[in-house]
Amino acid sequence: MAAREGHVSVKGGRLYVREIGSGAPVVVLHGGPDFNHNYLLPELDELASAFRLIYYDQRGRGRSSGDVSADEITIESEVDDLDRLREHFGLGELSLLGHSWGSVLAMEYATRHPDRVSQLILMNSAPASHADLLHFRERRGATEPDNLEQMREISAREAYVEGDIATEAEYYRVHFSSTLRRPDLLDALVQRLRAHFSAADIIKARVIEQRLYAQTWLSPAYDLLRNLSKCRARVLVIHGEHDLVPLDCAAHIAGAAGAGKIVVIKEAGHFSYLERPAELRDVIITGVQPKAQRT
């Protein structure tokens, strides 16, 4: 099945867009937020047999980097870009599939525009509140002290600071080593993370990431859970049995959503689409209800 590529103009830049499939449209939100959509491929494309998948690189990252300045990116601009995509594709309501940080962006959009979202598929979601971020960090500090120390050492190197791809790959091998049940997949994943990034792009993406963190997670008052009940979309939360994010965080999201459902993928970590692609596909196809059947 051939993919279709293009760009969508937004205020301050252009978003690289990749479409595949011809079913009901689902907009895919990548994680990071300093990555691009490439790390989700090719496994997530398996859903194209049932859906029209619309991937895009968030502004300032990957093939949407262009002349974008990092200080132009805010959580509000991220939400606005997503709404511009909705308008461009003529979609009255969005079905959103977010991975990791992409799930946070999906919830940000859904809580700000509850009438414009029909489905939320939150795959291996990052924490949805400052309190859950602290819980995540506390647990990781207790279970992976050696890995965290090694990551601090690598990130202090001059090569890392300058955006050297090989040094950053070393960092992410440590970062994700404990969450993958299949260690043979680690190198493949890490190699995908910086496709279409130069060293300058990496540095820019890191600045964007820190700006978005400062505007969300790092604020003690940050809590998407309080507003998630206002979202009338059906919510499917997918979590890996060995996810680096605690199951409690995913359960809080499902509990806060009025129509929330949680599914735990056995023998998978934070990248369930990579480790258990067939099972994930079945969970999503079964869990996503066509708009015509909604009540």
Side-chain angles (χ1 to χ4, degrees):
M1 189 181 300
R4 307 170 296 281
E5 299 176 282
H7 290 84
V8 175
S9 295
V10 296
K11 184 179 179 181
R14 294 198 311 160
L15 303 180
Y16 168 81
V17 176
R18 177 181 179 274
E19 295 181 75
I20 188 168
S22 58
V26 174
V27 178
V28 181
L29 309 178
H30 65 75
D34 59 330
F35 303 143
N36 69 341
H37 84 280
N38 186 75
Y39 75 92
L40 298 167
L41 305 179
E43 291 79 12
L44 208 61
D45 272 357
E46 291 296 317
L47 290 169
S49 62
F51 305 107
R52 171 190 169 200
L53 300 176
I54 302 172
Y55 300 91
Y56 73 103
D57 289 354
Q58 291 153 28
R59 196 181 348 159
R61 283 139 288 177
R63 293 184 180 181
S64 297
S65 183
D67 296 325
V68 176
S69 173
D71 61 12
E72 298 171 0
I73 308 302
T74 64
I75 190 62
E76 287 78 16
S77 72
E78 297 282 271
V79 170
D80 289 346
D81 286 353
L82 184 49
D83 202 49
R84 173 71 184 103
L85 283 175
R86 181 188 64 81
E87 293 175 345
H88 174 83
F89 288 107
L91 304 175
E93 291 183 324
L94 291 173
S95 290
L96 298 175
L97 193 169
H99 175 253
S100 194
W101 168 268
S103 293
V104 174
L105 177 54
M107 288 184 280
E108 281 280 358
Y109 184 89
T111 56
R112 294 166 187 247
H113 301 295
D115 59 331
R116 300 177 192 176
V117 181
S118 59
Q119 311 264 354
L120 283 179
I121 307 162
L122 308 177
M123 181 174 63
N124 303 107
S125 180
S129 69
H130 179 73
D132 276 352
L133 173 67
L134 296 182
H135 175 46
F136 161 56
R137 288 181 169 178
E138 181 180 12
R139 193 189 76 165
R140 195 159 198 204
T143 59
E144 297 185 60
D146 293 342
N147 281 354
L148 293 178
E149 179 57 34
Q150 191 174 354
M151 289 159 58
R152 282 190 288 269
E153 185 275 322
I154 295 170
S155 65
R157 297 178 193 170
E158 183 177 355
Y160 179 92
V161 173
E162 294 177 348
D164 178 69
I165 292 176
T167 306
E168 197 188 55
E170 183 180 352
Y171 174 92
Y172 280 114
R173 285 190 191 95
V174 178
H175 186 23
F176 295 130
S177 62
S178 67
T179 193
L180 283 170
R181 293 299 90 191
R182 290 181 52 189
D184 58 301
L185 296 174
L186 183 58
D187 279 345
L189 170 66
V190 170
Q191 289 171 12
R192 298 178 191 179
L193 294 177
R194 289 310 186 192
H196 317 121
F197 282 79
S198 66
D201 289 334
I202 289 173
I203 294 170
K204 180 195 296 186
R206 289 178 187 161
V207 174
I208 291 171
E209 178 181 59
Q210 291 307 311
R211 284 177 57 80
L212 293 174
Y213 285 173
Q215 295 163 22
T216 56
W217 278 341
L218 298 183
S219 169
Y222 187 71
D223 189 354
L224 279 171
L225 302 173
R226 285 194 300 241
N227 295 323
L228 200 56
S229 61
K230 300 175 184 177
C231 176
R232 60 186 182 86
R234 297 179 69 250
V235 179
L236 173 62
V237 179
I238 301 170
H239 197 75
E241 181 183 21
H242 302 283
D243 203 309
L244 54 86
V245 178
L247 178 59
D248 290 355
C249 298
H252 292 163
I253 294 170
K261 176 184 178 183
I262 186 168
V263 176
V264 177
I265 305 292
K266 300 294 184 182
E267 291 304 311
H270 193 61
F271 300 90
S272 54
Y273 70 91
L274 180 63
E275 297 185 278
R276 310 288 289 185
E279 185 174 350
L280 180 79
R281 178 183 179 278
D282 290 345
V283 166
I284 292 177
I285 290 176
T286 302
V288 174
Q289 185 175 341
K291 182 180 177 184
Q293 297 178 19
R294 294 181 70 218
T295 58

